[in-house]
Amino acid sequence: MLRRRLNRLCGGDEKRVDSRTIYVGHRPCPDTEAFIPSKFCDNRIVSSKVIVDTPTSPVTSGLPLFFVITVTAIKQGYEDWLRHKADNEVNKYPVTVLEDGRSVKKESEKIKVGDVVEVVEDETFPCDLILLQSSREDGTCFVTTASLDGESNHKTHYTVPDTEKDLQALPATIECEQPQPDLYKFVGRMHIYKPEQEPAVRSLGPENLLLKGATLKNTKKIYGVAVYTGMETKMALNYQGKSQKRSAVEKSINAFLLVYLCILISKAVVCTTLKYVWQSKEGQDEPWYNQKTQKEKDTNMYLKMFTDFLSFMVLFNFIIPVSMYVTVEMQKFLGSFFITWDKDFFDPEIQEGALVNTSDLNEELGQVEYVFTDKTGTLTQNNMEFIECCIDGFQYKHRDTRSELDGFTVTDGPVNKLQQKAGQEKEELFLRALCLCHTVQVKEAGSEVLADQVDGIDGLLLPQPEEERGFIASSPDEIALVRGAMEYGFTFLGLESKSMKIKNRENNIEEYKLLHVLNFDPVRRRMSVIVQTKSGETLLFCKGADSSIFPRVRPEEVDRIRMHVERNATEGYRTLCVAYKQLSAEEYAVADTGLREARLALQDREQKLMAMYNQVETGMSLIGATAVEDRLQEEAAETMEALQGAGMKVWVLTGDKMETAKSTCYACRLFQRGTELLELTVRTLEDGRLKREEKLLELLRDYHRRAVQDAPPVKAGVTRSWSTANQDYGFIIDGATLSLVMNPPREADASQYRSLFLQICQNCTAVLCCRMAPLQKAQIVKMVKNSKGSPITLSIGDGANDVSMILEAHVGIGIKGKEGRQAVRNSDYAIPKLKHLKKLLLAHGHLYYVRIAHLVQYFFYKNLCFILPQFLYQFFCGYSQQPLYDAAYLTMYNICFTSMPILAYSLLEQHISMEILLDNAALYREIANNAMLRWRPFLYWTVLGIFQGLLFFFGVRFLFSNPALQDNGQVFGNWSYGTIVFTVLVFTVTLKLALDTRHWTWINHFVIWGSLAFYVFFSFFWGGIIWPFLKQQRLYFVFANMLSSVSAWLVIIILILLSLLPEILLVVLRKPRGPHSRQKKPSQSNVGGSQSSQSSARPLLMRTFSDESNSVI
């Protein structure tokens, strides 16, 4: 809504049509209509919003409510000020614009559509530009788009062909589509006008568009014309706030609030009813000393009852813990710093630690039931190494030793023809294909060459021999293949002016003219190049997934290669197939014309290009295949085993081949040797007798019978049977079959398919979903998230294709890997390595949940203790709404007297040390399913609050049965009564928290004993001075006078001890069990982690700021 209004103000919505025409440099062009400057959006960016919202109920009292709203407003106002400040930094950034033949410095916000802008190396683009001129000789420039899509790799962009060197004299117009948010789509064309010639038309695509927010790299300077500015740039159109995720604790708080709201209304109704019952007796409503006025007699009876009801609501409303919301927000915000400070999360390789993007979900880390993980870059390192290749059915292995994945090796019989070789012609054709079919760029370097750079991560400066070269690529696979070709004697030298150079085994330079690049996309799962040799031959080289290449080559060629591909996939390697095709002059002419026409189309360009790609990439000859190894992440197997030991179900969602992903699951110990695999893939659905839908239903029912109906019942929370008595099942499904399950031909079968599928998966120890599209990953997460019981889900990934499932899950974790930072930007938490997930969940998550659960229960308890005596007091004051406590006590109770101890507890408490939590993954199960915020513990805290509230009130009333409590015979009044009750209350609830504290630091001591001392000091101070701004001073010398009575001292001490006696007896008499017994004997249970040599009992804060490398929080 805000964006639409801004667009209207900026003229962006005037005469909205499908395309726009831009005059380069604002110059009219010949052969065009009359020049009328178009009105476009300016280049200002607006992201501040100035909105104040509050999470509290309106049924509150004045000052605490004002305090909550004020804190919320300050927090959001500060964040909005930061956004406004960031907007100004962008809008006022100086840029260079060409005007009237000279360079002019301007503020970024003053750029207009059609301006020619100059950008130098390492600067960000101030708006969306069409690249007109580059300082590089080949007319290209390198760009990183990390701030847009998280892909920090170097992308290559191209200038528009045939543009003049003198941009000031360039007469041209640009037709392009209206602004839309897709970062990878752009359709347009440029008309270049020359004297006495037909206008030249050049197609414009994403390769010509430089996006606002992207950064210029490895290029000294470029010039571009602005096509989209301000809130119409693709970056601005992609700006949207993340959907608010609510934790299970917040839902429990809302349920408890409803209970306490009912208690509040019940109290008000009871007191209002009893008031009028009492007043109905003769002489009670209008005693002789308090006659009613005529106005009071004329007031409507029902209006008076309603007014009295509201008065009681205001009197008792302190039972609703308004200030709890502020304390919870502070606990979450401050508690998140312990994650970022944790030295165990620091990775020296990238010099970064953990990152918290959303502190609202800290406690949710302790409630995870399902973990959905990506494979490449998450379970594996995404650090590719060329292992072997197969040429014409003959194996070429670079390393002599067989690769072994974490102790697990799959062999497929003897490897045929291991010592034999293919013909030299086939070998060289295959290696030329590896050197030519890619988008790798050779780095510009002097005497020293940078190590390979993938996704913007620079290597160290290393002196290298001349034959060693540094490469820039968008994918680590491509560099691995180019490096693999170098090992066999073919070296890629670079691309200059559409000419690709390679050095062959005889050290001769071969030159090929690059005619077309048929880019890779996830639908085709392949990419191709069309090149021309010096002799005039036109060749097409293609590489891609086996499922994409095999249908496009001859079947007899497939048989020679398939065995090698399947064996490599079984061993966990990433495989690609390589094919080629020689194009005749007629074939190339048709292909060239079709590709150029498709690239010039303004409508349906992508569909036309796809059709041309499919037309060209047919009838190819299969040359061979490659195998690249992606090693497991450090401690991946131990982490997965610990998560399963903690009761979590782990699902692997990947776009990779089934064999490769299955091997990785075995290596990570998700599948064990004895695990029976239930496979639901396209291969298992192939049955000549039955239709695919019928075969699918038959398999689903069979697997359901085996995994669900015939399986023995297991204890709740246990995901893996560690004994040998029960059979473990693993489930495997591919993307095509999942589509059939989620969207069957008959809609009536959908619910049955999904129900069977979900039940099977939930009864398996691990699930592998391979060949998944990003949207399918999100569908899987959503299906589990919305299943019975609404289990808490966590998704973890490192690439842009994982963003959908990260956003869909309750908790999203991004890994700072080599596939860009989009996953990190869209996640709730970011960690450098997968191994850090173990501590994040088992230690931090466990402690955060226990802390905040105790905080919530404690707040409801202490407010019930606070208001119950006030309710009981109405039975002894004629239901006159007389307050028991002074107004200062009512206001300060939650804000000052009892707030700091519970805040310190909720930040620093460690009921079990972190070492024990990491060594005993099973401890995580004890807090599963929101165990500490269920109705049973809530009822315990409520009963405890009622017991202590009754004891406070009637204990002090027993004291007041003696009329003379002072030495001079004077009696105490009602304010003394309330002050004694309040004193017992403050000391009891604070000491109750001290009894619950298992991990003492100097901060705990300071806030607990300091809060009690502050209460005593405040009471003396408030009652010891005559305050001129108070009309009546109820507590003048009441507190000092109260403490002069020995009886009052005795009752205060006895009532505090009696109130805490049940808790003390419970702690003394209860046998140590669960976490506390384990803390003494950590060696008794050691699931999912290495055994700790000793249990550290050092205070949390000391361990946080210690310089010792092995002591962190």
Side-chain angles (χ1 to χ4, degrees):
M1 181 66 73
L2 175 62
R3 186 177 292 129
R4 284 201 295 270
R5 289 177 180 171
L6 282 169
N7 285 341
R8 290 194 192 102
L9 289 174
C10 300
D13 272 358
E14 291 184 7
K15 295 182 67 177
R16 199 70 170 175
V17 292
D18 291 336
S19 63
R20 54 169 57 183
T21 301
I22 300 158
Y23 294 86
V24 178
H26 308 287
R27 287 182 298 279
C29 297
D31 303 326
T32 60
E33 298 176 2
F35 174 64
I36 303 174
S38 301
K39 188 176 182 182
F40 296 111
C41 175
D42 63 27
N43 201 36
R44 282 177 298 168
I45 290 291
V46 181
S47 61
S48 55
K49 52 185 179 180
V50 195
I51 297 174
V52 175
D53 58 353
T54 173
T56 59
S57 165
V59 188
T60 53
S61 60
L63 191 57
L65 174 62
F66 175 75
F67 175 72
V68 171
I69 294 176
T70 303
V71 169
T72 306
I74 291 172
K75 175 175 174 267
Q76 295 195 359
Y78 173 70
E79 291 176 351
D80 197 67
W81 175 77
L82 291 178
R83 280 190 290 268
H84 180 70
K85 185 180 176 184
D87 288 346
N88 268 343
E89 288 180 5
V90 173
N91 292 332
K92 303 297 182 185
Y93 188 81
V95 295
T96 305
V97 179
L98 295 186
E99 285 186 357
D100 301 326
R102 56 194 179 88
S103 298
V104 178
K105 286 285 184 182
K106 278 187 176 183
E107 292 178 344
S108 174
E109 64 183 359
K110 294 181 180 177
I111 294 176
K112 299 176 182 176
V113 171
D115 281 346
V116 177
V117 181
E118 176 188 312
V119 181
V120 298
E121 187 173 3
D122 294 325
E123 280 189 351
T124 57
F125 302 115
C127 57
D128 291 352
L129 305 169
I130 292 294
L131 180 59
L132 297 178
Q133 200 176 96
S134 171
S135 61
R136 293 175 63 93
E137 292 181 2
D138 57 2
T140 63
C141 73
F142 296 112
V143 167
T144 59
T145 56
S147 61
L148 295 169
D149 59 4
E151 301 288 345
S152 51
N153 54 290
H154 284 59
K155 294 182 172 68
T156 307
H157 287 256
Y158 302 90
T159 56
V160 181
D162 302 330
T163 52
E164 299 182 14
K165 294 293 183 184
D166 183 10
L167 295 179
Q168 285 303 122
L170 175 66
T173 60
I174 293 173
E175 284 182 75
C176 61
E177 61 188 358
Q178 289 291 359
Q180 51 97 1
D182 192 336
L183 296 175
Y184 308 105
K185 183 183 176 187
F186 176 74
V187 177
R189 58 188 171 206
M190 186 172 182
H191 299 263
I192 303 172
Y193 299 91
K194 296 183 179 180
E196 300 177 359
Q197 293 182 21
E198 283 292 318
V201 182
R202 296 289 177 262
S203 68
L204 302 176
E207 68 276 5
N208 307 117
L209 184 67
L210 306 172
L211 300 177
K212 177 183 174 69
T215 306
L216 184 65
K217 292 288 185 182
N218 284 11
T219 310
K220 293 180 181 177
K221 183 168 61 175
I222 64 100
Y223 291 96
V225 58
V227 286
Y228 303 129
T229 52
M231 300 304 288
E232 291 184 340
T233 59
K234 290 184 181 287
M235 184 186 78
L237 294 175
N238 275 277
Y239 176 77
Q240 58 180 11
K242 296 177 188 174
S243 58
Q244 186 66 31
K245 295 182 179 180
R246 295 177 58 217
S247 69
V249 169
E250 291 180 46
K251 296 171 185 174
S252 297
I253 290 175
N254 291 339
F256 297 162
L257 272 178
L258 286 175
V259 173
Y260 271 64
L261 187 61
C262 291
I263 294 173
L264 169 63
I265 294 172
S266 301
K267 285 182 176 181
V269 169
V270 167
C271 287
T272 305
T273 304
L274 292 179
K275 176 177 182 175
Y276 283 91
V277 169
W278 184 72
Q279 288 183 353
S280 65
K281 297 178 182 177
E282 188 178 350
Q284 299 290 358
D285 186 29
E286 193 176 4
W288 60 269
Y289 56 83
N290 191 16
Q291 297 289 322
K292 289 184 178 180
T293 63
Q294 189 61 39
K295 184 178 180 181
E296 288 175 330
K297 291 179 181 179
D298 296 339
T299 305
N300 184 280
M301 179 70 171
Y302 295 105
L303 181 61
K304 285 175 62 181
M305 291 179 70
F306 181 69
T307 305
D308 285 330
F309 173 76
L310 291 182
S311 299
F312 282 118
M313 289 285 286
V314 171
L315 186 64
F316 300 144
N317 79 86
F318 288 92
I319 196 173
I320 305 294
V322 179
S323 61
M324 177 181 68
Y325 285 98
V326 174
T327 308
V328 166
E329 287 293 319
M330 292 176 68
Q331 189 269 351
K332 289 181 175 181
F333 176 70
L334 297 175
S336 64
F337 285 106
F338 290 124
I339 294 178
T340 57
W341 290 339
D342 194 328
K343 292 178 182 176
D344 281 352
F345 292 158
F346 182 78
D347 184 44
E349 184 180 339
I350 61 173
Q351 291 293 306
E352 291 184 41
L355 176 68
V356 178
N357 294 325
T358 308
S359 61
D360 292 339
L361 302 172
N362 292 343
E363 65 277 9
E364 210 80 326
L365 295 171
Q367 294 295 297
V368 175
E369 296 174 60
Y370 285 85
V371 175
F372 300 93
T373 175
D374 178 40
K375 184 185 80 71
T376 305
T378 305
L379 292 176
T380 60
Q381 296 178 10
N382 201 15
N383 185 15
M384 308 301 176
E385 180 184 354
F386 184 86
I387 300 298
E388 65 177 68
C389 61
C390 167
I391 304 174
D392 197 26
F394 296 89
Q395 182 184 10
Y396 291 71
K397 195 158 189 173
H398 178 59
R399 298 191 311 184
D400 295 333
T401 56
R402 177 178 296 164
S403 175
E404 187 169 309
L405 283 178
D406 200 49
F408 177 72
T409 305
V410 177
T411 57
D412 195 20
V415 179
N416 296 329
K417 305 180 184 177
L418 182 59
Q419 303 302 324
Q420 302 176 38
K421 302 298 179 187
Q424 183 178 352
E425 185 180 346
K426 278 288 181 74
E427 281 185 10
E428 293 186 351
L429 184 63
F430 177 81
L431 295 172
R432 285 190 181 96
L434 293 188
C435 283
L436 295 172
C437 188
H438 55 71
T439 55
V440 174
Q441 298 284 339
V442 177
K443 285 188 180 177
E444 297 176 354
S447 58
E448 290 182 312
V449 180
L450 278 167
D452 291 342
Q453 184 167 331
V454 180
D455 294 309
I457 300 174
D458 288 296
L460 298 174
L461 282 169
L462 301 172
Q464 298 180 350
E466 286 186 7
E467 62 269 14
E468 296 276 342
R469 310 189 67 81
F471 297 110
I472 303 171
S474 58
S475 165
D477 295 70
E478 296 214 303
I479 288 182
L481 295 178
V482 172
R483 289 269 178 210
M486 289 176 63
E487 292 167 2
Y488 291 99
F490 275 73
T491 304
F492 174 60
L493 301 179
L495 172 67
E496 294 180 10
S497 302
K498 295 289 184 180
S499 176
M500 302 181 79
K501 294 180 180 180
I502 61 175
K503 185 167 66 173
N504 61 25
R505 287 171 171 171
E506 286 75 33
N507 289 329
N508 296 324
I509 305 298
E510 298 180 7
E511 198 167 325
Y512 296 85
K513 184 179 180 182
L514 180 61
L515 301 175
H516 288 283
V517 176
L518 282 58
N519 291 316
F520 174 87
D521 65 74
V523 178
R524 286 166 53 241
R525 297 182 65 83
R526 61 184 182 273
M527 68 92 59
S528 302
V529 295
I530 301 177
V531 296
Q532 189 177 54
T533 65
K534 278 196 169 183
S535 61
E537 287 183 323
T538 305
L539 299 174
L540 178 139
F541 291 108
C542 180
K543 70 178 181 189
D546 58 321
S547 59
S548 175
I549 299 291
F550 285 170
R552 298 178 174 273
V553 298
R554 290 193 290 272
E556 60 271 18
E557 295 174 337
V558 172
D559 296 336
R560 293 201 298 268
I561 305 293
R562 188 192 298 274
M563 185 267 289
H564 292 274
V565 172
E566 290 180 352
R567 180 182 55 79
N568 287 331
T570 304
E571 292 180 358
Y573 300 141
R574 294 165 64 90
T575 58
L576 283 176
C577 294
V578 181
Y580 92 107
K581 177 183 180 181
Q582 186 166 349
L583 299 174
S584 66
E586 294 78 15
E587 286 177 321
Y588 174 69
V590 172
D592 181 57
T593 305
L595 288 170
R596 291 184 187 279
E597 287 177 356
R599 288 187 176 126
L600 281 173
L602 279 179
Q603 302 295 329
D604 302 324
R605 179 183 293 183
E606 290 180 357
Q607 290 83 346
K608 291 176 182 177
L609 280 172
M610 190 70 67
M612 281 305 305
Y613 290 169
N614 290 331
Q615 181 181 327
V616 175
E617 296 169 330
T618 53
M620 297 184 293
S621 296
L622 187 61
I623 319 172
T626 61
V628 175
E629 182 182 20
D630 190 3
R631 295 180 180 276
L632 278 183
Q633 284 272 11
E634 184 183 353
E635 297 180 28
E638 291 81 357
T639 302
M640 292 297 105
E641 198 168 30
L643 296 184
Q644 288 191 321
M648 296 176 226
K649 304 263 183 105
V650 182
W651 293 31
V652 179
L653 311 182
T654 178
D656 217 334
K657 286 172 60 69
M658 185 188 78
E659 292 79 7
T660 308
K662 187 163 69 173
S663 179
T664 303
C665 287
Y666 275 111
C668 290
R669 302 175 196 162
L670 294 173
F671 293 159
Q672 301 284 342
R673 291 285 186 180
T675 303
E676 183 178 344
L677 298 182
L678 309 177
E679 188 178 323
L680 199 65
T681 61
V682 174
R683 186 174 62 187
T684 58
L685 294 184
E686 290 175 357
D687 190 325
R689 298 176 295 104
L690 300 173
K691 292 182 179 178
R692 290 181 65 186
E693 296 79 16
E694 295 173 349
K695 182 65 175 176
L696 173 63
L697 185 58
E698 180 185 296
L699 282 174
L700 282 172
R701 285 174 174 165
D702 178 48
Y703 293 162
H704 184 268
R705 177 182 54 78
R706 292 158 62 184
V708 181
Q709 296 173 3
D710 296 346
V714 294
K715 294 181 180 179
V718 180
T719 58
R720 182 182 292 281
S721 172
W722 298 103
S723 66
T724 57
N726 298 330
Q727 174 65 52
D728 284 345
Y729 290 99
F731 192 74
I732 301 175
I733 188 170
D734 61 10
T737 312
L738 180 67
S739 297
L740 208 58
V741 171
M742 304 297 283
N743 305 295
R746 292 186 301 173
E747 190 60 34
D749 297 333
S751 59
Q752 182 185 9
Y753 283 11
R754 291 178 194 172
S755 176
L756 288 172
F757 169 67
L758 190 59
Q759 288 180 50
I760 295 167
C761 292
Q762 288 175 333
N763 280 270
C764 292
T765 55
V767 176
L768 167 61
C769 304
C770 50
R771 297 294 197 191
M772 290 283 118
L775 186 60
Q776 288 180 312
K777 292 183 178 183
Q779 286 177 334
I780 288 277
V781 176
K782 186 176 183 180
M783 181 181 66
V784 174
K785 187 172 77 169
N786 296 332
S787 64
K788 185 180 179 181
S790 300
I792 305 299
T793 57
L794 178 146
S795 292
I796 180 168
D798 71 320
N801 61 331
D802 303 317
V803 169
S804 55
M805 73 171 183
I806 285 174
L807 292 175
E808 185 62 51
H810 292 95
V811 182
I813 309 285
I815 291 200
K816 299 177 178 180
K818 297 185 178 179
E819 291 190 23
R821 291 299 173 93
Q822 190 170 355
V824 171
R825 282 161 46 84
N826 288 277
S827 64
D828 302 305
Y829 302 88
I831 52 178
K833 295 283 180 62
L834 175 72
K835 66 177 182 178
H836 299 138
L837 183 64
K838 178 182 173 182
K839 187 174 185 182
L840 186 67
L841 298 184
L842 302 189
H844 287 286
H846 186 116
L847 292 177
Y848 280 132
Y849 174 75
V850 170
R851 292 164 181 167
I852 201 166
H854 198 283
L855 181 152
V856 170
Q857 300 278 28
Y858 178 79
F859 254 96
F860 282 106
Y861 147 79
K862 72 184 182 72
N863 278 31
L864 183 59
C865 292
F866 180 39
I867 288 304
L868 185 59
Q870 176 72 74
F871 171 69
L872 297 172
Y873 187 59
Q874 298 307 304
F875 290 85
F876 298 90
C877 67
Y879 312 101
S880 59
Q881 292 111 33
Q882 168 69 30
L884 177 62
Y885 312 117
D886 182 67
Y889 286 162
L890 285 170
T891 303
M892 302 280 283
Y893 177 72
N894 278 318
I895 296 177
C896 298
F897 298 149
T898 59
S899 60
M900 292 308 295
I902 185 59
L903 178 61
Y905 175 95
S906 65
L907 288 173
L908 304 174
E909 174 63 5
Q910 285 191 57
H911 64 299
I912 310 173
S913 72
M914 283 199 171
E915 291 81 358
I916 304 298
L917 289 173
L918 289 174
D919 286 345
N920 298 273
L923 292 176
Y924 193 87
R925 298 177 190 167
E926 298 186 1
I927 59 166
N929 299 315
N930 206 14
M932 294 182 66
L933 286 176
R934 289 186 171 275
W935 290 109
R936 185 174 177 179
F938 174 72
L939 185 63
Y940 165 77
W941 282 91
T942 303
V943 169
L944 182 64
I946 292 172
F947 163 73
Q948 292 184 352
L950 291 170
L951 193 63
F952 298 159
F953 183 83
F954 289 107
V956 177
R957 187 171 181 277
F958 176 76
L959 168 69
F960 272 65
S961 61
N962 175 13
L965 293 175
Q966 300 188 67
D967 295 339
N968 56 10
Q970 291 182 350
V971 297
F972 280 164
N974 64 314
W975 296 115
S976 298
Y977 187 100
T979 302
I980 295 175
V981 172
F982 192 79
T983 302
V984 176
L985 165 71
V986 170
F987 273 80
T988 300
V989 298
T990 304
L991 292 174
K992 165 73 171 75
L993 189 63
L995 284 175
D996 290 341
T997 302
R998 298 284 181 273
H999 185 78
W1000 284 90
T1001 68
W1002 65 268
I1003 294 180
N1004 295 94
H1005 284 290
F1006 178 77
V1007 295
I1008 287 177
W1009 314 123
S1011 293
L1012 295 177
F1014 174 74
Y1015 164 68
V1016 174
F1017 171 79
F1018 175 83
S1019 298
F1020 274 116
F1021 186 68
W1022 181 249
I1025 299 175
I1026 297 177
W1027 300 98
F1029 54 84
L1030 293 178
K1031 293 181 180 178
Q1032 51 186 4
Q1033 195 158 340
R1034 299 161 175 168
L1035 287 190
Y1036 184 66
F1037 261 84
V1038 167
F1039 192 77
N1041 211 24
M1042 176 193 77
L1043 294 184
S1044 66
S1045 169
V1046 176
S1047 301
W1049 274 94
L1050 185 62
V1051 165
I1052 289 172
I1053 294 172
I1054 290 176
L1055 287 180
I1056 292 173
L1057 290 175
L1058 286 176
S1059 299
L1060 296 175
L1061 186 62
E1063 279 289 304
I1064 296 171
L1065 290 176
L1066 200 63
V1067 171
V1068 171
L1069 299 178
R1070 184 176 58 189
K1071 291 182 179 180
R1073 67 175 187 85
H1076 308 292
S1077 62
R1078 286 189 181 91
Q1079 198 162 0
K1080 295 177 183 177
K1081 300 179 182 180
S1083 60
Q1084 290 179 355
S1085 176
N1086 188 18
V1087 179
S1090 58
Q1091 182 172 316
S1092 176
S1093 59
Q1094 60 180 4
S1095 171
S1096 171
R1098 291 194 296 139
L1100 175 106
L1101 209 65
M1102 286 172 61
R1103 295 197 289 117
T1104 302
F1105 296 106
S1106 171
D1107 287 330
E1108 296 173 15
S1109 61
N1110 61 344
S1111 57
V1112 291
I1113 172 173

